[in-house]
Amino acid sequence: MDALIRKLEHFSQFTEEEVQALSTLSDLPVIVGPRQDIIREGDNPNGVNLIVEGYAIRYKALPDGRRQILGYFVAGDICDLRVFVLKRMDHSIAALTQVAVRVISEQRILDMTDRYPRIMRALWWATLVEESISREWLLSMGQRSAAERIAHLFCEIHRRARIVGLVDGNSVPLPLRQTDLAEMSGLSVVHVNRVLQELRKRRLITFDGQMLTILDVDQLEAFALFDPLYLHLDEGKGMVSSRQPIVATGG
């Protein structure tokens, strides 16, 4: 559960007791194979899904199979904290790679948030960041150019992966096909291919569908008009406890 704790400690640093509570939120993880649904639109959720290893996406699909990817999950991300309030899912969550998922029951969430107010506030923060990311994706779809959209997505994923220890230097595993990037950005696969060529030609990135390396972080962020404010990664400054925070490492 280290990835979840690393992420939440960008809002609040926890006591040893609180860390123990977070560590025992759920039972052993369930393994989901690559490109398999974790939960489908229309399913009745019996808890919330926490990604502890691997990469996943949120998506909606039309009856004819056309799909829009609405979100991207890395280790430490909770897929829709409030989903247990719904009787049926109104979207789907799917694995991109092999994924380890912990299902957290409604009762465990309620018990923990009742007992640990600081954890409750940190989980609120995570939910608000998720909503903020959705707003930024909508802004990209409406206003950023095609190249800016892809560049912005790369900047965001790089930042989010770094806070949970998945970045080595400026490289991050990124198992995305060009069709995935098209479904994320609202572009055609041909257009995505052209954008990737442009970003490579500008010597901003290398990307092979499995590993992304940002060659010049400052230049890529400037090109994408990327402002990390919407990720709210410094909200916890000054909110300290008696416990030293977990230090993220590569891998």
Side-chain angles (χ1 to χ4, degrees):
M1 303 288 281
D2 281 358
L4 174 63
I5 298 168
R6 287 173 181 168
K7 175 181 174 178
L8 295 182
E9 283 192 326
H10 278 267
F11 178 79
S12 180
Q13 295 175 20
F14 302 115
T15 65
E16 295 291 351
E17 182 181 352
E18 289 166 336
V19 168
Q20 182 62 25
L22 285 167
S23 298
T24 57
L25 257 180
S26 70
D27 299 323
L28 292 175
V30 175
I31 304 301
V32 180
R35 304 283 164 175
Q36 300 297 310
D37 283 331
I38 297 170
I39 188 167
R40 296 184 178 91
E41 184 172 358
D43 286 353
N44 183 11
N46 57 6
V48 300
N49 295 294
L50 166 65
I51 306 298
V52 295
E53 185 177 326
Y55 299 85
I57 55 170
R58 177 192 293 115
Y59 74 91
K60 284 184 72 72
L62 294 174
D64 62 6
R66 285 177 290 167
R67 185 175 76 163
Q68 182 69 38
I69 295 177
L70 305 170
Y72 185 86
F73 299 108
V74 301
D77 285 342
I78 297 176
C79 307
D80 302 312
L81 183 62
R82 297 163 297 184
V83 76
F84 59 78
V85 177
L86 303 176
K87 291 185 178 180
R88 292 188 180 274
M89 290 288 293
D90 59 14
H91 62 277
S92 300
I93 305 291
L96 281 176
T97 61
Q98 179 171 290
V99 168
V101 182
R102 290 181 184 263
V103 179
I104 308 171
S105 71
E106 173 184 0
Q107 194 57 52
R108 286 197 180 185
I109 292 173
L110 295 176
D111 290 346
M112 185 182 61
T113 53
D114 284 345
R115 183 170 180 181
Y116 301 105
R118 181 157 37 197
I119 292 177
M120 178 182 67
R121 291 193 296 270
L123 291 174
W124 279 351
W125 167 81
T127 297
L128 292 171
V129 170
E130 187 176 291
E131 293 175 355
S132 179
I133 290 170
S134 294
R135 289 191 291 271
E136 195 70 23
W137 280 39
L138 184 59
L139 174 63
S140 285
M141 293 283 285
Q143 297 299 325
R144 287 187 174 92
S145 70
E148 289 168 352
R149 288 182 212 177
I150 300 296
H152 194 277
L153 177 66
F154 286 165
C155 291
E156 177 190 299
I157 292 174
H158 182 264
R159 288 265 183 158
R160 290 172 58 193
R162 186 173 65 186
I163 70 172
V164 293
L166 297 176
V167 173
D168 183 7
N170 282 328
S171 296
V172 57
L174 191 60
L176 290 176
R177 302 170 181 171
Q178 291 189 18
T179 52
D180 299 323
L181 289 170
E183 290 172 343
M184 287 178 164
S185 61
L187 304 170
S188 69
V189 175
V190 171
H191 206 161
V192 167
N193 184 271
R194 289 173 182 164
V195 166
L196 293 175
Q197 290 183 41
E198 178 183 350
L199 296 178
R200 293 185 185 110
K201 192 174 295 185
R202 290 173 177 264
R203 298 186 177 180
L204 296 174
I205 65 160
T206 62
F207 178 60
D208 61 3
Q210 292 296 323
M211 182 70 67
L212 167 70
T213 299
I214 299 181
L215 302 176
D216 190 322
V217 174
D218 290 341
Q219 285 297 319
L220 186 67
E221 290 185 351
F223 176 81
L225 306 176
F226 180 80
D227 182 349
L229 173 64
Y230 73 100
L231 296 175
H232 300 284
L233 295 179
D234 60 351
E235 299 294 305
K237 288 183 176 179
M239 300 182 65
V240 298
S241 72
S242 59
R243 196 185 71 83
Q244 292 297 315
I246 291 174
V247 177
T249 58

